[in-house]
């Protein structure tokens, strides 16, 4: 995950730590060249504040922090803080303006999602799917298309994916699941009426769970082994459409599929070629 997005999610920063974070964002070049004493003097904080912040981030010290800041700052600054995800299109705009505004929505969304992406969580998620005898995807009706697209991609390389649609089917799949299954649960905020009940059943049956969610508080997080975060700038209700949420979810599922594909790359290439050769013969 981008170090600045990780910092934005820490809720227990002290006032001095907030000053230090602001300095890192606003004076990155100076932060990179100064030592601990100089940084502390510039921010009017103690040296121990720097190392307490490192501890909260789970990194070893100032050198490691500088490395992560250097790697993260460019992508973080690409996120436009004043960008209106909910109403990117205004009433009197032309078709040309609309087309370019949507391009900006997509660009900002991918950047935001990439900044939130924990690459280790992505690697572990793909490895977990590789070990599974069955993959089940649980999601609301609005995201079924994206789940079905992931299912199709996996079927092309010979992997069966179950996408139950109705509540009864989802509950039946969760009840029938076991430790040989892996569940991908897509839930923006855990607000679905049956989502936590399904998560509880999966936990009871020892089914590993990959949660795809927003950065908002989600009660399902405590049930998940791995979590992938969607871009969360878009309001869940007050908006023109789910432009950003849909693209963010598609991007994450494509990342998950591609990382899975890479684990057996040449064999999966051969499977796709065989699939299309077989389908072509029947056309």
């Amino acid at each position: 995950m981008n170090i600045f997005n990780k910092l934005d999610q820490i809720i227990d920063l002290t006032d001095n730590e907030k000053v230090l974070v602001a300095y890192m964002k606003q004076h990155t070049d100076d932060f990179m060249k100064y030592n601990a004493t100089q940084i502390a003097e510039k921010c009017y904080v103690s040296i121990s504040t720097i190392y307490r912040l490192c501890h909260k981030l789970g990194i070893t010290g100032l050198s490691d922090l500088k490395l992560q800041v250097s790697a993260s700052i460019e992508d973080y600054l690409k996120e436009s803080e004043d960008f209106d995800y909910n109403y990117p299109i205004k009433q009197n705009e032309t078709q040309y303006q609309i087309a370019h505004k949507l391009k900006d929505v997509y660009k900002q969304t991918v950047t935001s999602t990439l900044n939130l992406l924990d690459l280790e969580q992505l690697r572990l998620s793909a490895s977990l799917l590789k070990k599974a005898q069955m993959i089940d995807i649980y999601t609301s009706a609005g995201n079924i298309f994206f789940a079905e697209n992931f299912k199709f991609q996996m079927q092309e390389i010979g992997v069966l994916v179950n996408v139950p649609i109705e509540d009864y089917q989802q509950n039946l799949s969760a009840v029938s699941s076991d430790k040989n299954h892996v569940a991908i649960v897509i839930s923006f905020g855990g607000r679905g009426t049956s989502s936590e009940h399904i998560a509880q059943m999966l936990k009871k049956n020892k089914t590993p769970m990959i949660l795809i969610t927003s950065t908002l508080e989600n009660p399902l997080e405590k049930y998940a082994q791995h979590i992938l975060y969607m871009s969360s700038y878009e309001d869940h209700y007050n908006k023109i459409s789910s432009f950003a949420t849909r693209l963010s979810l598609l991007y994450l599922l494509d990342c998950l599929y591609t990382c899975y594909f890479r684990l057996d790359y040449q064999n999966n290439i051969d499977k796709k070629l065989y699939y299309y050769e077989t389908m072509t013969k029947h056309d």
Side-chain angles (χ1 to χ4, degrees):
M1 181 184 292
N2 184 294
I3 192 68
F4 293 105
N5 291 86
K6 192 172 183 179
L7 283 164
D8 289 343
Q9 292 185 34
I10 298 177
I11 59 175
D12 61 342
L13 290 178
T14 66
D15 289 341
N16 283 345
E17 288 166 351
K18 290 176 182 177
V19 169
L20 178 58
V21 171
Y23 184 80
M24 289 162 52
K25 293 178 180 179
Q26 297 167 13
H27 305 281
T28 308
D29 290 343
D30 289 338
F31 177 81
M32 296 300 296
K33 69 183 181 182
Y34 290 156
N35 59 34
T37 301
Q38 292 170 314
I39 293 170
E41 290 175 351
K42 289 290 183 180
C43 297
Y44 300 101
V45 301
S46 66
I47 293 176
S48 61
T49 298
I50 299 171
Y51 290 97
R52 279 198 303 270
L53 181 63
C54 291
H55 178 72
K56 287 183 179 180
L57 289 167
I59 57 182
T60 56
L62 181 58
S63 295
D64 191 9
L65 179 58
K66 286 184 176 183
L67 284 173
Q68 295 203 33
V69 167
S70 177
S72 300
I73 188 63
E74 183 177 353
D75 282 336
Y76 182 77
L77 292 176
K78 287 178 182 176
E79 291 189 53
S80 177
E81 293 183 1
D82 59 353
F83 189 83
D84 190 348
Y85 283 86
N86 300 312
Y87 293 92
I89 309 303
K90 307 309 176 187
Q91 183 176 3
N92 297 318
E93 290 186 327
T94 66
Q95 288 83 353
Y96 177 87
Q97 290 172 311
I98 288 172
H100 280 75
K101 284 287 185 67
L102 285 177
K103 181 200 73 172
D104 291 339
V105 171
Y106 295 159
K107 183 178 179 180
Q108 291 283 344
T109 298
V110 171
T111 298
S112 171
T113 309
L114 180 59
N115 284 340
L116 289 169
L117 189 57
D118 187 322
L119 298 179
E120 181 64 5
Q121 288 288 297
L122 180 62
R123 183 187 72 81
L124 291 172
S125 296
S127 296
L128 188 61
L129 293 180
K130 184 66 175 175
K131 297 174 185 176
Q133 293 180 11
M134 174 59 72
I135 300 169
D136 305 300
I137 303 181
Y138 299 90
T139 188
S140 62
N143 294 322
I144 288 295
F145 171 81
F146 300 99
E148 290 283 358
N149 181 67
F150 182 82
K151 173 182 176 179
F152 174 74
Q153 289 174 306
M154 297 293 276
Q155 282 183 320
E156 286 187 314
I157 55 174
V159 181
L160 295 179
V161 175
N162 174 40
V163 183
I165 299 175
E166 303 295 337
D167 284 349
Y168 176 79
Q169 293 175 320
Q170 293 189 358
N171 280 277
L172 183 62
S173 291
V175 168
S176 306
S177 188
D178 59 32
K179 64 182 181 181
N180 296 312
H181 288 228
V182 169
I184 300 175
V185 177
I186 302 168
S187 173
F188 191 83
R191 287 181 287 266
T193 55
S194 62
S195 56
E196 186 158 13
H197 178 60
I198 287 173
Q200 290 170 347
M201 285 191 288
L202 293 170
K203 182 178 180 180
K204 181 179 179 181
N205 291 336
K206 299 181 179 179
T207 302
M209 174 176 153
I210 300 167
L211 176 63
I212 301 179
T213 184
S214 71
T215 57
L216 305 176
E217 185 177 354
N218 189 329
L220 304 187
E221 288 191 5
K222 61 179 176 286
Y223 301 103
Q225 279 65 48
H226 305 298
I227 302 175
L228 302 174
Y229 289 105
M230 290 185 279
S231 175
S232 308
Y233 289 116
E234 198 171 65
D235 189 274
H236 195 59
Y237 301 107
N238 184 21
K239 59 190 173 186
I240 294 177
S241 185
S242 300
F243 299 124
T245 303
R246 288 198 306 259
L247 182 63
S248 187
L249 175 57
L250 177 62
Y251 179 66
L252 286 175
L253 288 174
D254 279 349
C255 285
L256 194 55
Y257 164 74
T258 309
C259 288
Y260 182 99
F261 191 100
R262 184 189 63 86
L263 293 174
D264 195 7
Y265 190 87
Q266 189 56 53
N267 189 37
N268 287 330
I269 290 289
D270 293 340
K271 287 179 180 178
K272 284 183 69 70
L273 290 173
Y274 174 76
Y275 171 82
Y276 281 111
E277 286 173 359
T278 303
M279 294 298 292
T280 301
K281 291 178 181 178
H282 293 283
D283 286 345

